[in-house]
Amino acid sequence: MLKTKLVRTASDVESRLANFGVKKADVVKIALSSLGARNDSVLDDPRTARGQFSYIYGVRTMRQVFAPAGYERVSKQNIESVYHAAMALKIMFQTVDMACIESQVPQAISEIGAGKETVIENAQRQLYLFAHMQADEEKKHGALTAFDKAEAWYLCTAFVNGSVSCELSRPRGVVEKQFSEFFERIFILRDGEGGSSGLLNLDDDAPRIEIKPIVLKR
């Protein structure tokens, strides 16, 4: 099995994210926005409200952060993403049980369905020992769109004890409806660094993101 590339130090993370057209502080805003929306849930909300709010605001802020860098907003097969055609990559927001722990692979809070599994599989070209199997694979891969073949990355975001952590990672595949392994994991925000207050030293002058309450109309 190929070894997962781990990007952990502050300078390496910043350098790697520059390849995506964003800064660490930008991506941290996504996690803090999602946490703020999650904490905005109250007792009278539906049981699933915290997860729904965190996902909605996570996707919203992800698109607000990546759009200025040339990413398109794509909704396909009930999967929300941002997509950069020139860089041939797409990014999805995913809540997980933990993030930025070297010895553990992030596991999705909700099982990974067939749609997400296909997204991950289509982004990779399989290699086979037998020529006829490889020919079938090449034919299948050739019929895919540029979006389908683009690298599939997930902003894995975890909420533990009122704090948020996140990593931008590229999975190899899915086994038993969960991420199996990853090609690369970029550690952006470790557990304990991003609390519910969102008071984080980002070493920049950008204003802190404002979390506005969700208003549901009757």
Side-chain angles (χ1 to χ4, degrees):
M1 182 176 294
L2 297 177
K3 187 176 181 180
T4 300
K5 179 181 178 181
L6 299 178
V7 183
R8 294 163 291 187
T9 66
S11 58
D12 287 344
V13 169
E14 203 69 75
S15 176
R16 187 68 181 93
L17 290 177
N19 296 136
F20 290 81
V22 296
K23 297 179 179 180
K24 176 180 176 179
D26 298 325
V27 184
V28 167
K29 290 176 184 178
I30 303 171
L32 294 181
S33 175
S34 183
L35 175 65
R38 178 183 178 85
N39 290 343
D40 192 52
S41 174
V42 297
L43 183 62
D44 292 327
D45 286 335
R47 182 176 58 85
T48 58
R50 299 186 75 193
Q52 290 175 343
F53 288 176
S54 61
Y55 175 74
I56 290 171
Y57 270 78
V59 172
R60 176 188 296 184
T61 313
M62 179 181 71
R63 286 174 167 168
Q64 292 172 344
V65 163
F66 282 93
Y71 289 76
E72 304 172 40
R73 302 166 178 84
V74 177
S75 300
K76 188 175 182 180
Q77 296 177 336
N78 294 322
I79 297 174
E80 305 295 335
S81 67
V82 291
Y83 166 59
H84 199 295
M87 291 192 284
L89 60 87
K90 52 184 175 284
I91 304 171
M92 282 72 63
F93 183 88
Q94 177 70 56
T95 53
V96 295
D97 60 344
M98 64 84 209
C100 301
I101 299 178
E102 298 176 19
S103 60
Q104 298 183 43
V105 174
Q107 298 295 291
I109 295 300
S110 299
E111 292 183 340
I112 297 175
K116 288 183 180 179
E117 184 173 358
T118 299
V119 166
I120 295 171
E121 289 179 351
N122 286 344
Q124 303 172 40
R125 181 170 295 186
Q126 303 294 329
L127 297 177
Y128 294 95
L129 292 176
F130 302 103
H132 70 281
M133 296 178 66
Q134 188 61 44
D136 289 342
E137 173 62 23
E138 294 295 333
K139 182 178 180 180
K140 174 185 173 183
H141 195 76
L144 298 175
T145 66
F147 173 82
D148 293 329
K149 291 185 284 189
E151 290 184 357
W153 290 78
Y154 282 84
L155 185 60
C156 297
T157 308
F159 306 97
V160 181
N161 298 325
S163 184
V164 61
S165 55
C166 70
E167 60 182 72
L168 182 59
S169 300
R170 183 187 172 202
R172 294 183 190 276
V174 175
V175 174
E176 295 182 351
K177 300 183 179 180
Q178 281 293 352
F179 294 127
S180 56
E181 274 295 338
F182 288 81
F183 288 102
E184 182 176 357
R185 298 172 64 188
I186 306 171
F187 291 3
I188 296 170
L189 186 63
R190 294 175 183 268
D191 184 31
E193 293 180 337
S196 58
S197 66
L199 297 177
L200 188 67
N201 180 15
L202 300 177
D203 295 326
D204 73 343
D205 297 324
R208 302 306 176 199
I209 192 163
E210 178 184 359
I211 307 300
K212 297 181 180 179
I214 298 175
V215 179
L216 301 178
K217 296 183 179 180
R218 293 182 179 274

